[in-house]
């Protein structure tokens, strides 16, 4: 038996557990652990065997499949039925290169998969709302409560299992006999509600009381369904109705029978007003303790206090019910305040020392009758006071109205805020202490998968800010910012940040769901092939769409990134129509195939040279940016067509890409290689997208870029677009020292400048706080926007390339990255000691890596002509005895995902 490697228990699709999964034939993946001291050398899998036990009969079925595939292998058995439970395990055959015989590994642990409700007719439940109509849907819609009392029949059978399948129009918390069901926040999450609505499955076996009265209750707030959304005042009830509703189905199986006892939501349920008076995404929550009925969620509900009203059944919505692969939003961390400040005007302000997204929890206090406790959240202080101006119209304020009773572990239910500071007004008695509060950090609970560290603490802080920025903006959907009156799934922001994100966390489940919302909305007839600017689209629901490069190009770029990080061709296949429709019909073109130059473009948004009140007035021509991207995404789509075997389209798009590149060069690049818009962004894009005609033009480009950067004294002049590419362009033109000089600069605008102003997340503008300490007065002044954090991709992928190549500035001595990829953990660490370069790489079983070591400077820009050494699994060391004091290309570690 092969004892060197052991396969992990199989994972199902991109699902976090396999419980309640929405696939009848979920694909299976495993990685390998190496219990011994070393990773075996060049170990590859030659076959796998899968075993399944289904239902209650102990009947194993084994499938033997030759090959190396260990990621997303097909489900080889009959599809699962709704609710079916199965256990699956795997063992593999393989060998080290040096070994003669193949041998089988140990069996993995068993994994359990349980199908959710796979068909609409599995639902006996109906969507129900209150029979009392919402009086004025233009004002905030108040949360409501639903309840149903029940007894199990027949009473005596012991319970085998109980499942609650549930969703809401709004966001909900469910309780069974007073106990909270699950730990999801803001469930069912935000999707394109006209097309797709998530439901959740919970195991509630332990919450049911066998021979007694039970109560199933659900509280629903407006969430994204009915809160005000969008800037300039926004709009409430974007999905057309103010009726908050639930769909709930409790199924209980007794030990002596396979059949289930079902409790569906219907018009026999009751509805109650909530003590939460209002709860909105931007404005926060108002909780009135005086209206609370502590028994409302239990079977002993006291009807004296509030009289229930009837419920009304709503028509089944047109949206498809989905059991998502994305993990839910959860509270993932608790942070105590770092300090409590008293502002110059005497306000009490909590400082958490970290800009974060989530909400506050009050541990315990007694709030006198009618006293109002107000918690106002903000990201920054100005002149020592809470600075709420950047929040625009969002109130970001939670209020509790006292009843004279104790408030214990209170936190708002259906909102979240982006904040570092919280002003506390109306605290009862003496001033609060640090122990009275804790911040609950919330985001989509994606597994962390990539790490980076190096010997420069400022760069480590920058990286930490990028990670916090990502965490704060991956709350059900990937958003631009988490605090002001936006928090929308802007496509362009994700487009530039997607590969940084995919490295840091396993985003495949979440972003593939988001992409399905994107394509569902994009392919709506009235859009004429133009993707929404924000997904879910609450900005242009009614009207036409605005065709935008870079933003719309997320349609192609995001699937490509996810495919690269997951090896999942279903993502490409699933987005195929949307990608083609954008390129073939959506983009308004001029006769040369490039963009119609009369279209308004956001361009290199928030270029630091643009005036604060006109962020699109960039130095780089916005049509040039659009055209460069068009050539790039056409080539990217050709590559993806190849990956899914669509060879005719692959050839067509590859030829288009060539034509567009040449049209771009004709339009913008002089024979000598000077580009119109002689800017950092324009040159970087043309280098990274291989738009120069030949090596001489590339040499000119490299020299121009260098000149521009030196003249600006190493300051950045890139916005959302150029920031992602400038260091990459310098790297591939053999000028990494310039990239590091820019990276290490602390003058505004630079990556490290915000750190000098105390930043703990990535800002929307390079100077969201200006050098004089004042908060930028522009409309776009968020302190938590991930877009400019796209440098992370360069930090990750060009790991090890940071070198002291020019005298006089401080160098890094070591850097390390670790990435938990689909085939296991890849690690790389390098250090330079006394001029000796030493690199150690860890390659997991069943993969190979191309290792490219530092070489002397050369300028074969973007031609992928690097030569390296292929290595199989194992731990490999590389040494270079003495480095010259010249620029060199960075070492790379390129994981090859095998299929
Ligand atoms: C958002 C951006 C977005 C931009 C595009 C802003 O309001 O915050 O991040 O991409 O608008 O117009």
């Amino acid at each position: 038996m092969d004892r060197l490697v052991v396969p992990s228990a199989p994972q199902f699709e991109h699902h976090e557990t396999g419980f309640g999964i929405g696939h009848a034939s979920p694909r299976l993946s495993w990685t390998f652990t190496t219990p011994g001291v070393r990773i075996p050398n060049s170990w590859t899998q030659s076959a796998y065997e899968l075993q399944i036990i289904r239902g209650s009969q102990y009947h194993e079925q084994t499938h033997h499949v030759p090959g190396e595939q260990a990621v997303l292998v097909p489900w080889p058995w009959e599809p699962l039925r709704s609710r079916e439970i199965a256990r699956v395990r795997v063992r593999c055959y393989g060998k080290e290169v040096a070994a003669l015989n193949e041998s089988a590994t140990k069996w993995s642990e068993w994994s359990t998969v349980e199908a959710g409700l796979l068909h609409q007719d599995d639902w006996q439940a109906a969507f129900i709302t209150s029979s009392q109509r919402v009086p004025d849907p233009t004002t905030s819609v108040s949360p409501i409560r639903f309840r149903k009392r029940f007894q199990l029949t027949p009473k005596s059978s012991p319970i085998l299992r109980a499942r609650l399948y549930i969703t809401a129009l709004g966001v909900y918390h469910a309780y069974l006999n007073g106990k909270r069901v699950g730990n999801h926040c803001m469930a069912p999450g935000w999707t394109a509600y006209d097309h797709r609505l998530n439901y959740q499955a919970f195991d509630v076996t332990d919450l049911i009381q066998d021979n007694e009265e039970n109560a199933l209750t659900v509280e629903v707030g407006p969430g994204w369904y009915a809160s005000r959304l969008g800037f300039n005042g926004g709009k409430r009830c974007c999905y057309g109705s103010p009726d908050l509703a639930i769909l709930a189905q409790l199924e209980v199986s007794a030990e002596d029978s396979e059949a289930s006892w079902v409790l569906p939501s219907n018009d026999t349920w009751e509805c109650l007003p909530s003590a939460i008076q209002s709860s909105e995404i931007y404005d926060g929550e108002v909780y009135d303790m005086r209206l609370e009925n502590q028994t409302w969620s239990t079977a002993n509900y006291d009807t004296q206090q509030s009289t229930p009203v009837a419920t009304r059944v709503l028509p089944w919505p047109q949206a498809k019910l989905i059991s998502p692969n994305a993990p839910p939003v959860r509270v993932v961390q608790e942070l105590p305040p770092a300090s409590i400040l008293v502002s110059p005007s005497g306000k009490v302000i909590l400082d958490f020392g970290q800009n974060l997204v989530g909400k506050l929890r009050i541990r315990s206090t007694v709030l006198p009758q009618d006293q109002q406790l107000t918690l106002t959240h903000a990201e920054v202080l100005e002149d020592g006071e809470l600075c709420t101006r950047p929040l625009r119209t969002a109130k970001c304020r939670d209020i509790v109205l006292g009843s004279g009773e104790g408030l214990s572990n209170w936190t708002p239910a259906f909102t979240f805020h982006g904040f570092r500071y919280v002003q506390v007004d109306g605290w009862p008695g003496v001033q609060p202490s640090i122990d009275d509060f804790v911040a609950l950090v919330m985001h989509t609970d994606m597994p962390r998968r990539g790490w980076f560290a190096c010997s420069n603490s400022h760069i480590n802080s920058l990286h930490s800010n990028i990670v916090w920025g990502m965490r704060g903006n991956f709350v059900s959907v990937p958003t631009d910012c988490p605090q002001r009156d936006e928090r929308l799934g802007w496509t362009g922001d994700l487009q530039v940040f997607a590969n940084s994100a995919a490295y840091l966390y396993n985003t495949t489940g979440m972003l593939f769901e988001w992409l399905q919302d994107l394509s569902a909305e994009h392919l709506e007839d009235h859009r004429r092939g133009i993707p929404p600017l924000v997904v879910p689209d609450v900005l242009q629901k009614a009207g036409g769409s605005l065709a935008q490069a870079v933003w719309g190009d997320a349609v192609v770029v995001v699937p490509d990134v996810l495919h690269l990080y997951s090896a999942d061709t279903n993502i490409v296949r699933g987005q195929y129509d949307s990608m083609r429709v954008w390129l073939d019909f959506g983009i308004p073109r001029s006769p040369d195939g490039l963009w119609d130059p009369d279209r308004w473009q956001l361009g290199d948004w928030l270029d630091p040279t643009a005036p604060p009140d006109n962020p699109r007035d960039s130095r780089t021509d916005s049509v040039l940016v659009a055209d460069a991207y068009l050539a790039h995404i056409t080539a990217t789509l050709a590559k993806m067509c190849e990956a899914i075997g669509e060879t005719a389209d692959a050839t067509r798009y590859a030829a288009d890409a060539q034509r567009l590149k040449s049209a771009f060069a004709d339009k913008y690049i002089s024979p000598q290689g000077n580009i119109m818009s002689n800017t950092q962004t324009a040159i970087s894009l043309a280098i990274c997208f291989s738009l120069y005609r030949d090596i001489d033009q590339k040499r000119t480009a490299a020299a121009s870029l260098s000149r521009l950067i030196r003249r600006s004294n190493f300051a950045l002049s890139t916005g959302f677009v150029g920031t992602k590419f400038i260091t990459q362009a310098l790297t591939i033109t053999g000028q990494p020292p310039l990239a590091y000089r820019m990276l290490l600069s602390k003058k505004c605008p630079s990556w490290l400048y915000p750190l000098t102003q105390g930043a703990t997340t990535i800002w929307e503008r390079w100077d969201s706080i200006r050098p004089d300490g004042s908060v930028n007065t522009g409309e776009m002044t968020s302190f938590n926007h991930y877009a400019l954090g796209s440098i992370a991709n360069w930090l990750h992928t060009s790991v090890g390339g940071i070198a002291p190549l020019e005298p006089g500035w401080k160098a890094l001595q070591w850097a390390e990255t670790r990435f938990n990829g689909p085939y296991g953990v890849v690690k790389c660490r390098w250090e330079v000691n006394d001029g000796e370069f030493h690199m150690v790489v860890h390659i997991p079983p069943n993969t190979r890596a191309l290792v490219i070591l530092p070489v002397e400077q050369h300028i074969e820009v973007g031609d992928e002509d690097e030569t390296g050494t292929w290595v199989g699994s194992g731990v490999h060391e590389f040494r270079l005895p003495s480095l010259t004091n010249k620029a060199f290309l960075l070492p790379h570690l390129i994981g090859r995902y095998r299929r």
Side-chain angles (χ1 to χ4, degrees):
M1 181 181 291
D2 191 334
R3 298 190 177 282
L4 296 174
V5 299
V6 180
S8 63
Q11 198 205 342
F12 305 95
E13 289 292 328
H14 304 290
H15 199 277
E16 65 169 355
T17 60
F19 179 81
I21 201 163
H23 299 259
S25 301
R27 293 167 300 166
L28 304 158
S29 307
W30 54 90
T31 55
F32 296 94
T33 52
T34 50
V37 281
R38 66 178 183 95
I39 303 175
N41 274 335
S42 301
W43 189 94
T44 47
Q45 174 189 296
S46 53
Y48 62 83
E49 253 165 33
L50 285 167
Q51 220 171 49
I52 190 170
I53 300 176
R54 338 177 57 129
S56 48
Q57 304 94 0
Y58 190 84
H59 171 64
E60 290 173 1
Q61 279 184 317
T62 307
H63 273 263
H64 184 98
V65 182
E68 292 177 8
Q69 197 181 350
V71 169
L72 300 165
V73 310
W75 176 264
W77 305 285
E78 283 286 296
L80 294 166
R81 286 170 284 114
S82 289
R83 310 174 183 84
E84 187 179 352
I85 300 176
R87 295 202 300 150
V88 176
R89 65 178 183 173
V90 64
R91 76 172 168 188
C92 305
Y93 291 80
K95 60 175 185 178
E96 278 190 87
V97 161
L100 292 176
N101 293 323
E102 287 185 5
S103 52
T105 65
K106 283 201 326 200
W107 282 102
S108 72
E109 300 287 317
W110 290 100
S111 317
T112 304
V113 63
E114 178 170 333
L117 301 186
L118 301 174
H119 313 287
Q120 191 172 317
D121 58 14
D122 291 321
W123 291 93
Q124 297 174 31
F127 279 86
I128 53 170
T129 185
S130 166
S131 58
Q132 284 180 344
R133 311 240 167 208
V134 174
D136 176 8
T138 58
T139 62
S140 188
V141 176
S142 299
I144 45 173
R145 291 170 173 175
F146 295 87
R147 49 173 288 124
K148 177 74 185 171
R149 221 188 313 220
F150 66 94
Q151 266 204 334
L152 293 179
T153 47
K155 284 185 177 176
S156 50
S157 316
I159 295 170
L160 179 63
R161 64 171 194 258
R163 301 288 185 260
L164 177 65
Y165 304 99
I166 182 166
T167 186
L169 301 177
V171 286
Y172 74 86
H173 282 172
Y175 301 84
L176 197 45
N177 298 319
K179 300 229 172 63
R180 186 62 207 284
V181 175
N183 57 5
H184 298 195
C185 302
M186 307 297 288
W190 195 10
T191 46
Y193 291 139
D194 291 333
H195 297 274
R196 305 168 75 250
L197 174 65
N198 289 343
Y199 74 89
Q200 283 76 39
F202 294 104
D203 179 353
V204 291
T205 315
D206 294 341
L207 299 180
I208 296 243
Q209 297 165 357
D210 247 343
N211 288 310
E212 294 170 41
E213 276 273 292
N214 290 272
L216 175 58
T217 61
V218 188
E219 184 162 42
V220 186
W224 296 281
Y225 185 74
S227 288
R228 173 168 72 91
L229 293 176
F231 39 87
N232 296 334
K235 189 175 166 222
R236 285 209 164 74
C237 304
C238 290
Y239 297 91
S241 163
D243 293 325
L244 303 183
I246 58 161
L247 174 79
Q249 185 159 307
L250 176 67
E251 299 189 1
V252 183
S253 316
E255 244 171 25
D256 55 3
S257 112
E258 273 279 292
S260 287
W261 177 91
V262 181
L263 180 80
S265 52
N266 56 29
D267 58 6
T268 67
W269 287 48
E270 307 175 320
C271 211
L272 301 168
S274 169
I276 304 174
Q277 291 298 283
S278 64
S279 181
E280 292 227 353
I281 306 276
Y282 299 160
D283 293 338
E285 194 155 303
V286 178
Y287 176 64
D288 193 339
M289 293 175 73
R290 298 165 303 186
L291 304 176
E292 189 53 283
N293 177 343
Q294 297 297 348
T295 62
W296 84 272
S297 60
T298 68
N300 312 316
Y301 165 53
D302 174 2
T303 45
Q304 299 297 314
Q305 262 182 283
S306 39
T307 324
V309 299
T311 49
R312 164 165 68 91
V313 170
L314 291 176
W316 194 266
Q318 60 181 28
K320 195 167 170 232
L321 284 186
I322 308 280
S323 171
N325 275 316
V329 176
R330 294 195 178 98
V331 170
V332 290
Q333 189 178 349
E334 299 191 0
L335 270 187
S339 60
I340 299 193
L341 322 166
V342 178
S343 76
S345 70
K347 301 289 186 195
V348 175
I349 298 176
L350 313 177
D351 175 4
F352 287 90
Q354 171 65 53
N355 196 22
L356 59 93
V357 172
K359 52 191 182 173
L360 204 64
R361 184 168 69 204
I362 295 176
R363 286 193 206 270
S364 162
T365 189
V366 175
L367 200 56
Q369 174 83 21
D370 300 334
Q371 176 145 342
Q372 176 170 326
L373 171 63
T374 307
L375 308 167
T376 312
H377 304 71
E379 298 186 296
V380 284
L381 302 179
E382 193 170 33
D383 300 328
E385 304 287 345
L386 204 68
C387 180
T388 55
R389 187 180 68 242
L391 304 173
R392 307 199 297 219
T393 68
K395 294 197 186 100
C396 305
R397 194 165 66 199
D398 297 327
I399 294 175
V400 185
L401 296 157
S403 63
E405 285 166 40
L407 192 64
S408 167
N409 284 330
W410 178 85
T411 183
F414 303 126
T415 191
F416 59 90
H417 309 287
F419 63 99
R420 170 174 167 169
Y421 300 96
V422 183
Q423 181 172 309
V424 182
D425 294 305
W427 185 257
V430 287
Q431 277 210 358
S433 84
I434 280 184
D435 299 333
D436 291 320
F437 307 96
V438 65
L440 307 180
V441 179
M442 283 161 63
H443 57 78
T444 296
D445 196 3
M446 311 157 287
R448 182 82 191 257
R449 93 190 294 200
W451 289 264
F452 169 85
C454 67
S455 56
N456 183 307
S457 63
H458 300 294
I459 296 173
N460 291 341
S461 299
L462 169 69
H463 193 262
S464 158
N465 290 2
I466 293 169
V467 175
W468 274 100
M470 171 171 177
R471 296 174 74 190
N473 282 296
F474 275 63
V475 180
S476 189
V477 299
T479 55
D480 57 333
C481 60
Q483 72 301 79
R484 67 176 179 224
D485 50 2
E486 278 197 72
R487 315 187 193 187
L488 304 175
W490 283 96
T491 49
D493 302 43
L494 181 66
Q495 188 271 114
V496 296
F497 190 66
N499 45 10
S500 298
Y503 178 92
L504 292 170
Y505 282 87
N506 191 337
T507 55
T508 312
M510 173 180 173
L511 292 183
F512 189 20
E513 296 291 338
W514 180 83
L515 279 176
Q516 291 172 69
D517 287 324
L518 168 61
S519 51
E521 292 189 323
H522 176 200
L523 298 177
E524 287 167 358
D525 286 344
H526 68 94
R527 295 188 192 263
R528 303 180 323 277
I530 300 171
L533 284 172
V534 298
V535 177
D537 190 2
V538 289
L539 295 183
Q540 297 165 32
K541 277 185 78 62
S545 302
L546 186 65
Q548 278 299 306
V550 180
W551 274 253
D553 296 339
V555 158
V556 175
V557 174
V558 179
D560 181 51
V561 169
L562 290 193
H563 174 230
L564 200 65
Y565 277 81
S566 67
D568 188 355
T569 45
N570 281 7
I571 297 173
V572 179
R573 178 59 68 190
Q575 302 307 117
Y576 193 43
D577 285 346
S578 158
M579 297 193 276
R580 283 186 304 170
V581 162
W582 174 227
L583 284 188
D584 295 350
F585 305 104
I587 294 175
R589 302 188 187 234
S590 58
D592 59 3
L594 295 170
W595 272 83
D596 170 356
D598 292 326
R599 297 294 168 140
W600 184 91
Q601 299 281 355
L602 289 159
D604 194 20
W605 182 251
L606 283 167
D607 160 345
T609 56
D613 57 352
N614 189 6
R616 59 170 290 274
D617 191 11
S618 150
R619 268 197 210 161
T620 309
D621 177 52
S622 62
V623 183
L624 178 151
V625 170
D627 287 338
Y629 251 89
L630 178 53
H632 170 62
I633 61 163
T634 309
T636 306
L637 180 53
K639 191 185 69 183
M640 280 190 277
C641 292
E642 196 75 63
I644 56 170
E646 294 286 350
T647 42
D649 270 347
T651 313
R652 176 165 71 92
Y653 288 117
D656 278 357
Q658 275 319 318
R659 265 194 298 277
L660 290 168
K661 282 183 183 180
S662 138
F664 182 95
D666 288 349
K667 187 170 171 188
Y668 298 108
I669 302 173
S670 79
Q672 279 160 15
N674 291 305
I675 194 163
M676 190 197 109
S677 282
N678 187 33
T679 62
Q680 294 181 3
T681 294
I683 300 175
S684 299
L685 285 180
I687 289 171
C688 292
F689 297 163
S690 304
L691 299 175
Y692 290 100
R693 286 192 188 279
D694 53 39
I695 187 72
D696 291 332
Q697 289 197 342
K698 289 175 198 169
R699 286 209 171 91
T700 307
S704 303
L705 187 57
S706 158
R707 216 173 290 123
L708 279 174
I709 290 169
R710 289 174 197 278
R711 277 194 202 136
S712 75
N713 207 10
F714 302 95
L716 278 158
S717 55
T718 53
F720 272 30
V721 176
T723 300
K724 176 174 173 183
F725 295 102
I726 185 153
T727 46
Q728 201 179 318
L730 289 167
T731 305
I732 58 186
T733 52
Q735 312 184 87
L738 294 183
Y740 302 122
R741 275 193 84 158
M742 293 184 91
L743 176 64
L744 293 170
S745 163
K746 295 203 183 80
K747 284 214 192 93
C748 186
S750 68
W751 282 284
L752 298 189
Y753 162 75
L755 293 174
T756 67
Q757 297 287 351
T760 56
T761 36
I762 298 299
W763 296 347
E764 181 174 22
R765 294 175 178 276
W766 296 114
D767 60 347
S768 284
I769 294 183
R770 296 193 185 110
D772 66 3
S774 62
V775 175
N776 196 307
T777 48
E779 275 271 285
M780 310 285 165
T781 306
S782 134
F783 293 87
N784 204 351
H785 246 70
Y786 52 57
L788 297 182
S790 57
I791 178 87
N793 183 51
W794 180 74
L795 292 177
H796 301 150
T797 56
S798 294
V799 61
I802 304 170
L805 300 174
E806 286 191 352
W809 52 280
K810 201 167 178 307
L812 293 191
Q813 285 185 318
W814 60 266
E816 69 183 18
T817 51
R818 177 158 53 99
F819 178 65
N820 194 357
Y823 278 88
V825 179
V826 186
K827 281 198 276 189
C828 173
R829 182 189 162 96
W830 64 260
E831 60 184 276
V832 177
N833 269 326
D834 295 334
E836 190 196 62
F837 175 85
H838 178 209
M839 185 163 89
V840 182
V841 296
H842 293 240
I843 311 299
N846 208 24
T847 58
R848 294 194 302 152
L850 178 63
V851 180
I852 300 163
L853 291 171
V855 293
E856 296 290 324
Q857 175 174 8
H858 71 148
I859 206 169
E860 303 306 316
V861 191
D863 285 343
E864 290 166 15
D865 62 342
E866 300 141 318
T867 46
T869 312
W870 279 101
V871 292
S873 70
V875 179
H876 307 276
E877 291 195 41
F878 301 86
R879 286 176 197 277
L880 294 176
S882 62
L883 289 176
T884 61
N885 198 22
K886 285 185 189 163
F888 59 76
L889 277 184
L890 315 178
H892 300 274
L893 181 68
I894 302 174
R896 243 309 152 85
Y897 299 139
R898 307 183 70 147
R899 280 193 279 275

